[in-house]
Amino acid sequence: MRLSFIPLLLAATGRPVVGALSGPVRQTNFAKAARCYLDNLANVSENTLLGKLRGSEIGAAPGVVLPFIPDPDDPEEPVFQLRDGCLVYNAYLDHLAVFSDAAHSLRPVLDDAARALIRTQHITSPAGNIFTGGMKEGVFDYRLDRITEVTERLGSPAADGPPFRAAVLIKYAEWLIQPEQNNGTWVADNLWPSIHLDLQWIALHWNQSSYDIWSPPVWGGSYWTAYLQHRALKAGARLASSIGRGDGAYAFESHALIILNYLQTFWNEKEGYMTEAVPTNGHRRGVVRSGLGAAPLAASVLNFDPSLGCDAATFQPCSDRALSTLKVLTDAYRERFSVNHDTPPNLPVLLGRFPEDNHLGGHAQYFSTFNAAEQLFDAAITWDMLGALEVTPVSLKFFRQFDGNVSVGTYTNDTEVYARLLDGIVNYASRTVLLLAQHTPDDFVLPAALDKTNGAVRGERGSARSLVSVLTARHAYLGLMPPSWANGRRLTEESRDTPTPAAEAEPAGEEAPAGTDSMFVEMLESMWHERYIRIKEGGEEPCSCDSE
């Protein structure tokens, strides 16, 4: 069987696949240099996230992630932004799922995070209480109290709160119910009621307008929010069945399918990009939005699921729609930011949030630019896993950056075209990282923005969103394949060392078509197992920045 058929088998059988570590990206010279920078930057970012951004020095509640390092000379008190907190928690969970030795250090942090998330459901805020709209509150006092000052709640209420909170709690619950942890009863009694509360809210309110992800926010339909709603309902239905709470699983699955269909309406076929927001008041606060922006790319890397292959409907990083969107967005910022004007057309540039952005100057963002690199690293992981890549009419303009003569078709990993394209894409992603290295503070503590004219750092030190984008980009560089939210199943270190028999991966009550056991479960597990062992036994070259 050809590897490129694996996603079709997954869709046909509904069976879960593993999450694993596939190994670093193809080791071009640029990739090696990017690794050195990512290693050093990730070390500082992780220490900052686990240190000053936890806010213990100012009395922040356990589990809180501050949006930036508090300035002792600034009287303004920091807040807890639910979205930023969930981005950080999600990265920790991906790391925990693959590296079992991280449990000792991350488990207490994630326990605090779970309690903080549950607490946010029950705070009466200007958005309301648990019955009247409070579930959508996205900004809280750092002590997890209500905030009444409207200027401190810009962009709240936001409908991405319930699904993002649920997605994080579900991912943690799925790790806790694994045999190694054996906490299924605790999950059912303590986490599930809160997860179920969010899932019920999503099912009832998914089609209501809300603020989008950026500032100043627009009110309308948000691709980012709808994607999180789809993911939470899909994964929540599976978790419900796993812990014996499956009464509402069918309804959650049904709503997830409806939202998946709704997500397709955001595709701008004429321009070739995924629209990030459909405002019901496009001129709110003087903002006119074309719909092009970086939020769909953030959604793509956040919801990367190798078991879905290059699926366009779920906007996977290697899908033709995601690649086309990246190309259109990059071209827009090549013209928009003067810092990018002298950059040759075949090289990466700094990205912002959306081209019409003028908030605080509308400067370039570390978050968006790291996400662009992460998307391409994720795409390389998937193509390597499948053993082939496909060029479609939608993605042709993207691939022609790396091979001007490439045509529509499928190229297997034994062809020169495949090698040329993948080397070019990995180099491009690595050079994106190295571009950011040129604009990194001496202390490696990233702020939120870079000046759009000269690349100078701007904004408060230690932006949580910037710092977590470093960790996830490095995860992608290293080949981390996160646990599947669409199909479930994690790969523990023990099961990497002893590949799980296909029969053990079969969910109760489901039968796969005859002959599929060895065709994808054993094949994928053997391939991922081999790569993990290569890294574990020292097959990976150590990083030496001095030698570059």
Side-chain angles (χ1 to χ4, degrees):
M1 187 201 104
R2 295 174 60 83
L3 282 171
S4 55
F5 293 160
I6 290 173
L8 300 180
L9 286 172
L10 292 172
T13 64
R15 294 179 54 186
V17 297
V18 296
L21 191 68
S22 70
V25 297
R26 297 163 76 90
Q27 290 298 284
T28 65
N29 288 334
F30 289 113
K32 292 177 181 177
R35 168 68 184 275
C36 293
Y37 168 67
L38 284 173
D39 282 352
N40 291 328
L41 188 60
N43 182 57
V44 174
S45 298
E46 184 174 355
N47 288 339
T48 305
L49 287 166
L50 291 172
K52 290 185 179 298
L53 289 192
R54 294 179 72 183
S56 56
E57 296 177 359
I58 62 171
V64 160
V65 176
L66 302 179
F68 52 84
I69 296 174
D71 182 351
D73 297 326
D74 188 346
E76 180 181 352
E77 291 188 341
V79 296
F80 172 50
Q81 296 178 348
L82 183 59
R83 184 183 300 123
D84 287 359
C86 287
L87 284 168
V88 174
Y89 307 147
N90 185 76
Y92 289 163
L93 285 165
D94 283 345
H95 189 89
L96 181 65
V98 172
F99 301 101
S100 59
D101 57 355
H104 177 73
S105 59
L106 286 181
R107 177 71 185 274
V109 174
L110 289 166
D111 283 343
D112 285 342
R115 285 188 284 267
L117 289 177
I118 293 171
R119 167 68 180 150
T120 61
Q121 292 179 319
H122 300 276
I123 297 172
T124 300
S125 70
N129 58 34
I130 197 170
F131 304 107
T132 61
M135 297 282 283
K136 287 200 300 182
E137 181 60 55
V139 183
F140 304 89
D141 177 87
Y142 65 88
R143 294 174 292 265
L144 287 182
D145 294 328
R146 62 179 288 167
I147 288 179
T148 56
E149 179 57 49
V150 175
T151 58
E152 296 180 6
R153 297 177 56 250
L154 190 62
S156 186
D160 67 334
F164 209 171
R165 180 169 51 215
V168 168
L169 291 175
I170 289 167
K171 182 177 282 192
Y172 193 30
E174 290 187 326
W175 183 81
L176 288 170
I177 66 175
Q178 294 303 303
E180 294 79 14
Q181 285 68 247
N182 194 29
N183 283 318
T185 300
W186 187 87
V187 166
D189 293 342
N190 294 279
L191 289 188
W192 176 250
S194 295
I195 294 170
H196 187 248
L197 190 62
D198 276 330
L199 296 180
Q200 286 182 309
W201 188 94
I202 298 166
L204 288 172
H205 302 282
W206 70 269
N207 60 348
Q208 295 180 358
S209 294
S210 176
Y211 285 122
D212 77 329
I213 185 176
W214 305 127
S215 296
V218 295
W219 185 269
S222 165
Y223 184 82
W224 163 272
T225 295
Y227 201 142
L228 284 170
Q229 291 169 337
H230 167 71
R231 169 179 169 169
L233 290 169
K234 178 79 173 176
R238 185 181 62 250
L239 176 65
S241 299
S242 299
I243 61 174
R245 300 288 194 275
D247 292 346
Y250 177 78
F252 294 147
E253 282 274 11
S254 298
H255 279 89
L257 180 58
I258 293 170
I259 297 172
L260 181 61
N261 291 332
Y262 168 63
L263 285 167
Q264 312 317 307
T265 67
F266 285 83
W267 175 244
N268 185 329
E269 186 172 2
K270 180 180 178 180
E271 303 295 335
Y273 65 81
M274 190 65 74
T275 304
E276 69 172 8
V278 181
T280 56
N281 57 344
H283 296 271
R284 182 178 182 85
R285 294 192 178 96
V287 179
V288 179
R289 299 277 287 274
S290 64
L292 177 64
L297 300 183
S300 182
V301 297
L302 175 70
N303 297 293
F304 171 46
D305 186 338
S307 77
L308 296 173
C310 296
D311 180 48
T314 54
F315 206 58
Q316 289 302 299
C318 61
S319 68
D320 56 359
R321 289 183 173 183
L323 297 173
S324 178
T325 299
L326 176 60
K327 177 67 166 67
V328 174
L329 186 68
T330 300
D331 287 347
Y333 277 109
R334 204 176 291 279
E335 298 180 5
R336 179 76 175 177
F337 289 160
S338 56
V339 69
N340 295 329
H341 286 175
D342 294 332
T343 305
N346 63 329
L347 294 182
V349 297
L350 298 175
L351 304 181
R353 301 183 301 179
F354 56 93
E356 304 83 9
D357 182 19
N358 56 21
H359 181 63
L360 299 179
H363 294 285
Q365 302 286 311
Y366 287 99
F367 179 70
S368 301
T369 311
F370 269 119
N371 282 344
E374 181 179 350
Q375 178 191 347
L376 297 181
F377 288 143
D378 286 341
I381 290 171
T382 310
W383 289 322
D384 189 38
M385 182 187 77
L386 300 178
L389 61 79
E390 182 181 9
V391 179
T392 73
V394 173
S395 60
L396 181 61
K397 62 181 177 291
F398 168 82
F399 284 107
R400 282 200 168 162
Q401 298 174 102
F402 312 104
D403 184 342
N405 297 317
V406 71
S407 57
V408 171
T410 300
Y411 300 92
T412 57
N413 59 6
D414 57 354
T415 63
E416 292 183 5
V417 175
Y418 177 94
R420 186 161 55 248
L421 289 174
L422 203 59
D423 282 348
I425 290 167
V426 168
N427 268 336
Y428 187 94
S430 301
R431 294 182 79 151
T432 302
V433 171
L434 295 174
L435 173 62
L436 291 166
Q438 298 173 28
H439 304 285
T440 295
D442 291 340
D443 63 1
F444 276 44
V445 180
L446 299 182
L450 309 92
D451 193 284
K452 62 187 178 183
T453 60
N454 56 24
V457 297
R458 299 182 66 94
E460 298 92 345
R461 287 182 70 243
S463 163
R465 200 172 289 189
S466 298
L467 299 177
V468 75
S469 69
V470 173
L471 300 186
T472 56
R474 183 174 181 270
H475 283 165
Y477 176 97
L478 292 175
L480 187 150
M481 295 186 282
S484 170
W485 57 265
N487 294 293
R489 180 96 186 278
R490 301 173 186 277
L491 183 66
T492 65
E493 191 164 317
E494 290 72 19
S495 64
R496 294 189 198 102
D497 294 339
T498 306
T500 306
E504 293 182 17
E506 184 75 10
E510 296 186 11
E511 292 186 3
T516 60
D517 283 337
S518 61
M519 284 196 296
F520 75 97
V521 174
E522 292 179 359
M523 181 183 299
L524 287 179
E525 291 190 346
S526 175
M527 179 171 58
W528 289 334
H529 167 74
E530 177 183 346
R531 291 172 180 166
Y532 176 77
I533 292 299
R534 186 166 64 243
I535 294 171
K536 186 177 180 181
E537 294 181 350
E540 173 191 348
E541 289 294 325
C543 172
S544 175
C545 295
D546 294 336
S547 64
E548 297 299 333

